[in-house]
Amino acid sequence: MNIANIKSDKSAIAIVVVCYNRPVSARRLLDSLNAANYPNENIPLIISVDCSGNEEMYDLARNFEWKHGPKYSVIHTARLGLKKHIYECGDYTTQFKGVIILEDDLFVTQDYYNYTVAAVNAYYYEDKVAGIALYADTVNGYVGLPLYYWYDGSDAFMMQSAITSGECFTDRMWERFRSWYNVNEDVDPEPYFMPRTIKNWRRAWSKYFNIYLVEKDLYFVHPHFSSTTNCGEAGEHGNDVNTVHSRMILGAKEWKFNSFADSIKYDVYADFVGLGKYLGLDDKDLCVDFYGDKENEQKQRYWLSPYKLQYKVVNSFALNLEPMEANIVYGIKGNDLFLYDTSEYTKEKISCKLTLHQFTYHFKNVDYKKLIRYISLLVNKMVKTKISIIFKK
């Protein structure tokens, strides 16, 4: 089936399930979709299967009984790869008001669709919003530390980072991205202010979407509570380490969203945007670097960092409140976060390692005996994986 065989409905938000060769995972996701709540019984479902030769997967796509509206099975006869597959799924926005893209290792909550509809209604005409996340990320994967967000009563905040474990694009959002991507498919990521990890991604579709966000100064809507979780099965871009699940909201609620202008915002590094006013500084002169991974690449005069650096300390704060920026907003003094004036050098010994006090802020309530056991298991797994790769060669 090609796109011409899918009935257009520009009033509908379609669900697009992205599959390859994991029929057990796909069945779990599809069953969770069937069990969810919907505003009507005219919800389009597209099951898009990349070419794998897995007949069990193909049969599931063809024969799955969708209870809530029209169902379309798209089985590709040539291998796309995940990046191209996701882009083709986004292109279904030409047929619908929006699409919810779900890879087959996900699971959705009962109210995921109603959350998405509410978010689309809130931000459909907001040009600064480029996508809507269903998944609430809890880990800063660029530095291996927990993420912290300011909760202001809204069900979502804005972050300059794409989500790949459940996301929605409206037709307006996707058209603007596609127009940009069509002339930037081979863009060099080096000049962009973003984590090195993103720049080094080779096959991830989100690499280019993140570049797009940074270049155009756009944001993704991020929920405080997840409407999806990632079950973490081994796949094209993952392994079976169980670290990608997220706490989900398991009941229904009335969704509330602030306007874009009034929303809390975080940059591509997951650092709070707009902290300058609490320090009496212009934001353009301030590098907020809570996670210590920016290296003040933009050469801003003032640098807020958890590390000991060779500059004059003009203020210092504790890590006692969550999120981290709350310590600055409420003026909690201490020796965990340091505001440096980079125009004045000192002979301070540089230390880019977290202290015990800083470390335990991020990993509170941890049983360290279990932590040692976890590290042992993880190292053992990595060694086995490396050996397996060597013998395959």
Side-chain angles (χ1 to χ4, degrees):
M1 177 181 291
N2 59 40
I3 197 167
N5 301 118
I6 295 176
K7 183 179 178 182
S8 178
D9 183 353
K10 294 301 285 184
S11 68
I13 298 173
I15 306 158
V16 185
V17 173
V18 184
C19 303
Y20 177 46
N21 65 351
R22 298 185 292 193
V24 174
S25 299
R27 164 63 74 172
R28 181 183 56 217
L29 170 59
L30 291 167
D31 286 344
S32 73
L33 292 171
N34 250 345
N37 296 328
Y38 298 94
N40 59 64
E41 294 302 303
N42 190 35
I43 309 299
L45 171 68
I46 302 169
I47 304 175
S48 182
V49 185
D50 200 358
C51 180
S52 67
N54 189 312
E55 291 298 333
E56 185 181 356
M57 185 67 252
Y58 299 162
D59 288 342
L60 175 62
R62 294 188 188 101
N63 300 324
F64 178 74
E65 184 181 347
W66 174 237
K67 300 177 181 179
H68 303 285
K71 190 206 84 175
Y72 307 96
S73 301
V74 180
I75 299 175
H76 294 275
T77 57
R79 181 82 165 95
L80 298 175
L82 184 58
K83 182 174 77 171
K84 187 175 180 181
H85 196 182
I86 293 291
Y87 287 162
E88 288 207 0
C89 291
D91 289 341
Y92 288 122
T93 51
T94 60
Q95 307 289 93
F96 302 101
K97 182 177 182 179
V99 294
I100 299 170
I101 297 177
L102 302 167
E103 293 183 39
D104 57 11
D105 57 353
L106 302 180
F107 184 93
V108 303
T109 65
Q110 188 178 24
D111 214 39
Y112 87 97
Y113 195 87
N114 293 324
Y115 155 79
T116 306
V117 170
V120 167
N121 290 340
Y123 299 114
Y124 185 78
Y125 293 106
E126 176 51 70
D127 289 341
K128 297 291 283 184
V129 172
I132 297 167
L134 282 70
Y135 177 80
D137 213 347
T138 58
V139 178
N140 184 335
Y142 311 130
V143 296
L145 293 173
L147 286 169
Y148 306 94
Y149 305 118
W150 190 289
Y151 179 66
D152 63 349
S154 174
D155 286 316
F157 56 93
M158 303 291 162
M159 191 155 72
Q160 208 161 48
S161 179
I163 283 291
T164 62
S165 292
E167 61 275 4
C168 174
F169 301 101
T170 68
D171 47 5
R172 298 181 75 249
M173 294 171 185
W174 192 255
E175 181 182 12
R176 293 198 300 273
F177 167 68
R178 266 305 209 176
S179 295
W180 176 88
Y181 182 73
N182 287 342
V183 296
N184 290 279
E185 185 175 357
D186 299 316
V187 64
D188 181 3
E190 276 305 314
Y192 291 92
F193 184 56
M194 59 172 50
R196 168 59 52 187
T197 302
I198 298 177
K199 294 179 181 181
N200 290 340
W201 288 341
R202 294 187 179 276
R203 296 179 294 171
W205 69 267
S206 54
K207 171 181 178 176
Y208 301 93
F209 208 99
N210 281 311
I211 293 172
Y212 167 68
L213 294 175
V214 169
E215 179 178 307
K216 299 296 184 181
D217 191 27
L218 304 176
Y219 289 81
F220 240 68
V221 177
H222 282 244
H224 281 286
F225 288 95
S226 212
S227 291
T228 66
T229 196
N230 193 316
C231 298
E233 282 95 357
E236 183 176 352
H237 293 171
N239 52 44
D240 62 355
V241 177
N242 187 19
T243 58
V244 289
H245 58 278
S246 186
R247 183 171 62 163
M248 299 189 296
I249 184 163
L250 296 175
K253 72 185 297 292
E254 187 173 332
W255 299 97
K256 175 185 175 183
F257 300 97
N258 287 343
S259 68
F260 176 83
D262 293 333
S263 291
I264 300 293
K265 299 177 182 69
Y266 293 84
D267 65 17
V268 68
Y269 287 85
D271 286 312
F272 187 84
V273 173
L275 203 58
K277 66 180 179 181
Y278 300 102
L279 295 166
L281 301 172
D282 193 315
D283 283 311
K284 72 176 185 298
D285 298 324
L286 174 65
C287 174
V288 178
D289 190 16
F290 284 127
Y291 292 97
D293 57 339
K294 282 182 176 171
E295 300 182 357
N296 198 13
E297 290 180 24
Q298 296 182 312
K299 307 301 180 186
Q300 288 149 303
R301 177 175 175 178
Y302 296 96
W303 187 356
L304 184 66
S305 171
Y307 297 142
K308 295 292 182 67
L309 305 173
Q310 290 184 313
Y311 304 109
K312 179 183 177 181
V313 177
V314 296
N315 214 335
S316 63
F317 302 89
L319 279 174
N320 291 339
L321 307 181
E322 288 186 17
M324 287 187 280
E325 58 268 15
N327 296 283
I328 284 80
V329 171
Y330 293 113
I332 308 299
K333 301 299 182 182
N335 292 296
D336 297 313
L337 299 168
F338 305 96
L339 180 64
Y340 295 100
D341 183 344
T342 64
S343 68
E344 298 190 42
Y345 288 91
T346 69
K347 295 182 179 180
E348 174 74 35
K349 184 178 179 181
I350 294 176
S351 176
C352 294
K353 295 181 179 179
L354 296 179
T355 65
L356 181 62
H357 192 262
Q358 293 168 323
F359 181 84
T360 50
Y361 172 85
H362 295 293
F363 297 100
K364 58 188 178 296
N365 302 324
V366 171
D367 182 322
Y368 292 100
K369 291 181 181 179
K370 290 186 173 65
L371 181 62
I372 292 170
R373 172 65 174 155
Y374 160 69
I375 293 171
S376 175
L377 289 169
L378 187 61
V379 170
N380 192 29
K381 172 71 175 178
M382 293 169 66
V383 169
K384 288 181 178 179
T385 301
K386 183 68 174 177
I387 292 172
S388 174
I389 291 172
I390 290 172
F391 277 101
K392 283 181 180 179
K393 291 179 180 179

